[in-house]
Short mmCIF file of all heavy atoms in Angstrom, two decimals:
data_model
loop_
_atom_site.label_atom_id
_atom_site.label_comp_id
_atom_site.label_asym_id
_atom_site.label_seq_id
_atom_site.Cartn_x
_atom_site.Cartn_y
_atom_site.Cartn_z
N PHE I 295 -9.65 29.33 -22.95
CA PHE I 295 -8.79 30.03 -21.94
C PHE I 295 -7.28 29.55 -22.09
O PHE I 295 -7.09 28.57 -22.79
CB PHE I 295 -9.26 29.90 -20.57
CG PHE I 295 -9.28 28.55 -19.99
CD1 PHE I 295 -8.36 27.97 -19.27
CD2 PHE I 295 -10.55 27.80 -20.36
CE1 PHE I 295 -8.54 26.54 -18.88
CE2 PHE I 295 -10.64 26.51 -19.86
CZ PHE I 295 -9.60 25.78 -19.12
N PHE I 296 -6.40 30.23 -21.42
CA PHE I 296 -4.98 29.87 -21.52
C PHE I 296 -4.43 29.59 -20.14
O PHE I 296 -4.80 30.05 -19.15
CB PHE I 296 -4.18 30.93 -22.07
CG PHE I 296 -4.35 31.21 -23.56
CD1 PHE I 296 -5.39 31.99 -24.04
CD2 PHE I 296 -3.39 30.56 -24.51
CE1 PHE I 296 -5.60 32.14 -25.43
CE2 PHE I 296 -3.77 30.78 -25.84
CZ PHE I 296 -4.68 31.56 -26.32
N VAL I 297 -3.66 28.27 -20.11
CA VAL I 297 -2.90 27.91 -18.99
C VAL I 297 -1.51 28.07 -19.32
O VAL I 297 -0.94 27.29 -20.05
CB VAL I 297 -3.23 26.44 -18.61
CG1 VAL I 297 -2.48 25.95 -17.42
CG2 VAL I 297 -4.68 26.30 -18.40
N ASP I 298 -0.78 29.06 -18.62
CA ASP I 298 0.55 29.38 -18.91
C ASP I 298 0.86 29.30 -20.47
O ASP I 298 1.91 28.62 -20.94
CB ASP I 298 1.55 28.25 -18.20
CG ASP I 298 1.42 28.35 -16.85
OD1 ASP I 298 1.01 29.40 -16.25
OD2 ASP I 298 1.63 27.32 -16.04
N GLY I 299 0.09 29.93 -21.21
CA GLY I 299 0.30 30.04 -22.64
C GLY I 299 -0.22 28.88 -23.50
O GLY I 299 -0.18 28.89 -24.76
N VAL I 300 -0.78 27.89 -22.85
CA VAL I 300 -1.36 26.73 -23.57
C VAL I 300 -2.85 26.91 -23.70
O VAL I 300 -3.55 27.08 -22.65
CB VAL I 300 -1.18 25.37 -22.83
CG1 VAL I 300 -1.79 24.20 -23.60
CG2 VAL I 300 0.39 25.19 -22.84
N GLU I 301 -3.48 26.97 -24.92
CA GLU I 301 -4.79 27.21 -25.15
C GLU I 301 -5.61 25.93 -24.76
O GLU I 301 -5.35 24.88 -25.21
CB GLU I 301 -5.13 27.64 -26.36
CG GLU I 301 -6.68 28.10 -26.71
CD GLU I 301 -6.98 28.43 -28.05
OE1 GLU I 301 -6.39 28.00 -29.08
OE2 GLU I 301 -7.88 29.24 -28.13
N VAL I 302 -6.74 26.20 -24.09
CA VAL I 302 -7.62 25.03 -23.59
C VAL I 302 -8.92 25.39 -24.15
O VAL I 302 -9.49 26.49 -23.87
CB VAL I 302 -7.64 24.79 -22.14
CG1 VAL I 302 -8.60 23.72 -21.86
CG2 VAL I 302 -6.17 24.52 -21.61
N ILE I 303 -9.52 24.52 -24.90
CA ILE I 303 -11.01 24.81 -25.38
C ILE I 303 -11.94 23.91 -24.64
O ILE I 303 -11.88 22.73 -24.81
CB ILE I 303 -11.15 24.58 -26.95
CG1 ILE I 303 -10.11 25.46 -27.68
CG2 ILE I 303 -12.55 24.79 -27.42
CD1 ILE I 303 -9.96 25.09 -29.07
N PRO I 304 -12.83 24.45 -23.86
CA PRO I 304 -13.78 23.58 -23.06
C PRO I 304 -14.92 23.01 -24.13
O PRO I 304 -15.29 23.77 -25.05
CB PRO I 304 -14.45 24.54 -22.10
CG PRO I 304 -13.67 25.74 -22.10
CD PRO I 304 -12.97 25.89 -23.31
N ILE I 305 -15.31 21.87 -23.83
CA ILE I 305 -16.39 21.21 -24.64
C ILE I 305 -17.48 20.74 -23.65
O ILE I 305 -17.42 20.05 -22.78
CB ILE I 305 -15.88 19.89 -25.30
CG1 ILE I 305 -14.48 20.07 -25.96
CG2 ILE I 305 -16.82 19.19 -26.31
CD1 ILE I 305 -14.38 20.78 -27.09
N LYS I 306 -18.71 21.42 -24.04
CA LYS I 306 -19.89 21.14 -23.05
C LYS I 306 -20.49 19.89 -23.56
O LYS I 306 -20.77 19.57 -24.64
CB LYS I 306 -20.76 22.28 -23.22
CG LYS I 306 -20.58 23.58 -22.54
CD LYS I 306 -21.67 24.64 -22.60
CE LYS I 306 -22.06 24.97 -24.07
NZ LYS I 306 -23.23 26.00 -24.10
N ALA I 307 -20.97 19.11 -22.52
CA ALA I 307 -21.65 17.89 -22.68
C ALA I 307 -22.46 17.56 -21.41
O ALA I 307 -22.48 18.26 -20.53
CB ALA I 307 -20.79 16.67 -22.87
N MET I 308 -23.35 16.51 -21.65
CA MET I 308 -24.31 16.18 -20.50
C MET I 308 -23.99 14.82 -20.13
O MET I 308 -23.84 13.93 -20.85
CB MET I 308 -25.72 16.42 -21.01
CG MET I 308 -26.18 17.83 -21.30
SD MET I 308 -26.12 19.06 -19.78
CE MET I 308 -27.41 18.32 -18.66
N HIS I 309 -23.94 14.68 -18.73
CA HIS I 309 -23.72 13.44 -17.98
C HIS I 309 -25.00 13.08 -17.38
O HIS I 309 -25.26 13.32 -16.10
CB HIS I 309 -22.50 13.74 -17.08
CG HIS I 309 -22.03 12.68 -16.19
ND1 HIS I 309 -22.06 11.30 -16.60
CD2 HIS I 309 -21.46 12.62 -15.06
CE1 HIS I 309 -21.34 10.70 -15.70
NE2 HIS I 309 -21.01 11.52 -14.56
N TYR I 310 -26.04 12.62 -18.16
CA TYR I 310 -27.48 12.57 -17.84
C TYR I 310 -27.81 13.92 -17.46
O TYR I 310 -27.82 14.70 -18.48
CB TYR I 310 -27.64 11.65 -16.65
CG TYR I 310 -29.10 11.38 -16.19
CD1 TYR I 310 -30.05 11.25 -17.22
CD2 TYR I 310 -29.44 11.33 -14.87
CE1 TYR I 310 -31.47 11.02 -16.87
CE2 TYR I 310 -30.84 11.14 -14.49
CZ TYR I 310 -31.73 11.00 -15.52
OH TYR I 310 -33.12 10.85 -15.16
N ARG I 311 -28.12 14.33 -16.30
CA ARG I 311 -28.71 15.64 -16.05
C ARG I 311 -27.48 16.66 -15.65
O ARG I 311 -27.88 17.81 -15.44
CB ARG I 311 -29.67 15.53 -14.92
CG ARG I 311 -31.01 15.01 -15.38
CD ARG I 311 -32.03 15.21 -14.41
NE ARG I 311 -33.16 14.52 -14.82
CZ ARG I 311 -34.11 13.97 -13.87
NH1 ARG I 311 -33.92 14.02 -12.58
NH2 ARG I 311 -35.20 13.35 -14.35
N MET I 312 -26.36 16.16 -15.46
CA MET I 312 -25.22 16.99 -14.97
C MET I 312 -24.42 17.60 -16.03
O MET I 312 -23.79 16.81 -16.93
CB MET I 312 -24.30 16.17 -13.94
CG MET I 312 -23.12 16.99 -13.48
SD MET I 312 -22.13 16.04 -12.34
CE MET I 312 -23.04 16.19 -10.85
N PRO I 313 -24.22 18.86 -16.26
CA PRO I 313 -23.36 19.42 -17.30
C PRO I 313 -21.87 19.14 -16.86
O PRO I 313 -21.55 19.18 -15.63
CB PRO I 313 -23.65 21.00 -17.19
CG PRO I 313 -24.86 21.16 -16.39
CD PRO I 313 -25.02 19.91 -15.48
N VAL I 314 -21.13 18.56 -17.92
CA VAL I 314 -19.73 18.40 -17.80
C VAL I 314 -18.96 19.12 -18.79
O VAL I 314 -19.64 19.54 -19.78
CB VAL I 314 -19.31 16.80 -17.78
CG1 VAL I 314 -20.16 16.14 -16.78
CG2 VAL I 314 -19.79 16.32 -19.18
N LEU I 315 -17.63 19.19 -18.60
CA LEU I 315 -16.79 19.84 -19.61
C LEU I 315 -15.78 18.75 -19.97
O LEU I 315 -15.17 18.03 -19.25
CB LEU I 315 -16.07 21.01 -19.01
CG LEU I 315 -16.68 22.27 -18.75
CD1 LEU I 315 -15.80 23.40 -18.35
CD2 LEU I 315 -17.51 22.78 -20.13
N GLY I 316 -15.71 18.69 -21.41
CA GLY I 316 -14.43 18.00 -21.91
C GLY I 316 -13.45 19.06 -22.26
O GLY I 316 -13.78 20.25 -22.13
N TYR I 317 -12.27 18.69 -22.77
CA TYR I 317 -11.30 19.75 -23.10
C TYR I 317 -10.58 19.33 -24.40
O TYR I 317 -10.42 18.17 -24.71
CB TYR I 317 -10.32 19.73 -21.95
CG TYR I 317 -10.91 20.27 -20.62
CD1 TYR I 317 -11.24 19.50 -19.58
CD2 TYR I 317 -11.10 21.79 -20.51
CE1 TYR I 317 -11.76 19.95 -18.45
CE2 TYR I 317 -11.78 22.14 -19.46
CZ TYR I 317 -12.11 21.28 -18.32
OH TYR I 317 -12.75 21.82 -17.17
N ARG I 318 -10.20 20.44 -25.09
CA ARG I 318 -9.37 20.26 -26.32
C ARG I 318 -8.15 21.05 -26.10
O ARG I 318 -8.13 22.30 -25.79
CB ARG I 318 -10.11 20.76 -27.57
CG ARG I 318 -9.21 20.60 -28.87
CD ARG I 318 -9.80 20.92 -30.11
NE ARG I 318 -8.85 20.80 -31.19
CZ ARG I 318 -9.18 20.50 -32.50
NH1 ARG I 318 -10.44 20.33 -32.70
NH2 ARG I 318 -8.28 20.33 -33.34
N ILE I 319 -6.94 20.37 -26.19
CA ILE I 319 -5.73 20.98 -26.09
C ILE I 319 -4.97 20.80 -27.39
O ILE I 319 -4.59 19.52 -27.61
CB ILE I 319 -4.85 20.61 -24.96
CG1 ILE I 319 -5.55 20.93 -23.52
CG2 ILE I 319 -3.46 21.25 -24.96
CD1 ILE I 319 -4.89 20.44 -22.30
N GLY I 320 -4.75 21.70 -28.28
CA GLY I 320 -4.15 21.41 -29.58
C GLY I 320 -4.94 20.39 -30.43
O GLY I 320 -6.18 20.55 -30.49
N LYS I 321 -4.17 19.42 -30.76
CA LYS I 321 -5.03 18.38 -31.47
C LYS I 321 -5.43 17.19 -30.68
O LYS I 321 -5.59 16.12 -31.28
CB LYS I 321 -4.23 17.99 -32.78
CG LYS I 321 -3.93 19.08 -33.64
CD LYS I 321 -3.78 18.63 -35.20
CE LYS I 321 -3.93 19.69 -36.18
NZ LYS I 321 -4.10 19.31 -37.52
N VAL I 322 -5.64 17.35 -29.46
CA VAL I 322 -6.04 16.28 -28.62
C VAL I 322 -7.36 16.58 -27.85
O VAL I 322 -7.53 17.77 -27.38
CB VAL I 322 -4.88 15.97 -27.53
CG1 VAL I 322 -5.47 14.84 -26.61
CG2 VAL I 322 -3.70 15.58 -28.20
N GLY I 323 -8.37 15.82 -27.88
CA GLY I 323 -9.55 15.99 -27.27
C GLY I 323 -9.91 14.87 -26.15
O GLY I 323 -9.45 13.80 -26.35
N TYR I 324 -10.41 15.51 -24.99
CA TYR I 324 -10.64 14.52 -23.94
C TYR I 324 -12.02 14.69 -23.42
O TYR I 324 -12.40 15.82 -23.05
CB TYR I 324 -9.62 14.87 -22.75
CG TYR I 324 -9.66 13.93 -21.70
CD1 TYR I 324 -8.55 12.94 -21.54
CD2 TYR I 324 -10.54 14.07 -20.59
CE1 TYR I 324 -8.57 12.12 -20.34
CE2 TYR I 324 -10.48 13.19 -19.50
CZ TYR I 324 -9.45 12.28 -19.29
OH TYR I 324 -9.43 11.29 -18.37
N LEU I 325 -12.96 13.60 -23.39
CA LEU I 325 -14.24 13.76 -23.09
C LEU I 325 -14.57 12.53 -22.27
O LEU I 325 -14.76 11.48 -22.93
CB LEU I 325 -15.02 13.87 -24.45
CG LEU I 325 -16.53 13.98 -24.43
CD1 LEU I 325 -16.93 15.33 -23.80
CD2 LEU I 325 -17.18 13.88 -25.80
N THR I 326 -14.90 12.93 -21.05
CA THR I 326 -15.46 11.63 -20.14
C THR I 326 -16.70 12.10 -19.51
O THR I 326 -17.18 13.15 -19.46
CB THR I 326 -14.29 11.39 -19.18
OG1 THR I 326 -14.57 10.06 -18.61
CG2 THR I 326 -14.11 12.43 -18.14
N ASP I 327 -17.26 10.93 -18.85
CA ASP I 327 -18.58 11.12 -18.31
C ASP I 327 -19.59 11.86 -19.04
O ASP I 327 -20.04 12.93 -18.55
CB ASP I 327 -18.27 11.69 -16.94
CG ASP I 327 -17.44 10.76 -15.94
OD1 ASP I 327 -16.25 10.46 -16.42
OD2 ASP I 327 -17.86 10.41 -14.83
#
Side-chain angles (χ1 to χ4, degrees):
F295 57 96
F296 286 86
V297 176
D298 296 338
V300 175
E301 187 182 31
V302 180
I303 299 171
I305 312 293
K306 283 190 299 180
M308 292 300 289
H309 184 26
Y310 185 42
R311 289 183 183 153
M312 178 181 281
V314 298
L315 288 183
Y317 295 102
R318 177 178 182 148
I319 300 177
K321 292 206 166 195
V322 179
Y324 188 99
L325 185 63
T326 191
D327 293 59

